[in-house]
Amino acid sequence: MSRGIKVDVEESGIVIDLHIIVEYGVNINAICDSIVHNVKYKLEHNTGLKVTKINVLVESVRVKE
């Protein structure tokens, strides 16, 4: 399993890979959309840099205990 966050700086902007684990039963599409929106907004707002792509990679689904 890859871990964490990978950031690549390219001429056109920043590309980010986020590796996550989700809990069974959650709406994966909604979680990923929310992560992409929040990360992009906060990075562009706080740094002024352009985010060209954010990849959210679901590495695993965790079962509730």
Side-chain angles (χ1 to χ4, degrees):
M1 174 171 133
S2 299
R3 294 184 182 208
I5 301 169
K6 179 182 175 191
V7 178
D8 290 320
V9 179
E10 300 177 351
E11 289 181 21
S12 59
I14 298 173
V15 176
I16 301 169
D17 292 335
L18 300 170
H19 298 266
I20 65 169
I21 298 173
V22 297
E23 189 171 298
Y24 179 80
V26 299
N27 184 332
I28 294 174
N29 190 44
I31 294 293
C32 291
D33 286 346
S34 178
I35 290 170
V36 168
H37 174 74
N38 284 311
V39 169
K40 183 174 181 171
Y41 172 77
K42 289 181 181 182
L43 275 174
E44 289 181 345
H45 180 43
N46 291 324
T47 66
L49 300 172
K50 182 178 179 190
V51 177
T52 56
K53 190 171 188 179
I54 298 176
N55 300 307
V56 179
L57 304 151
V58 178
E59 296 287 342
S60 179
V61 176
R62 185 177 296 162
V63 179
K64 289 183 182 179
E65 294 183 14

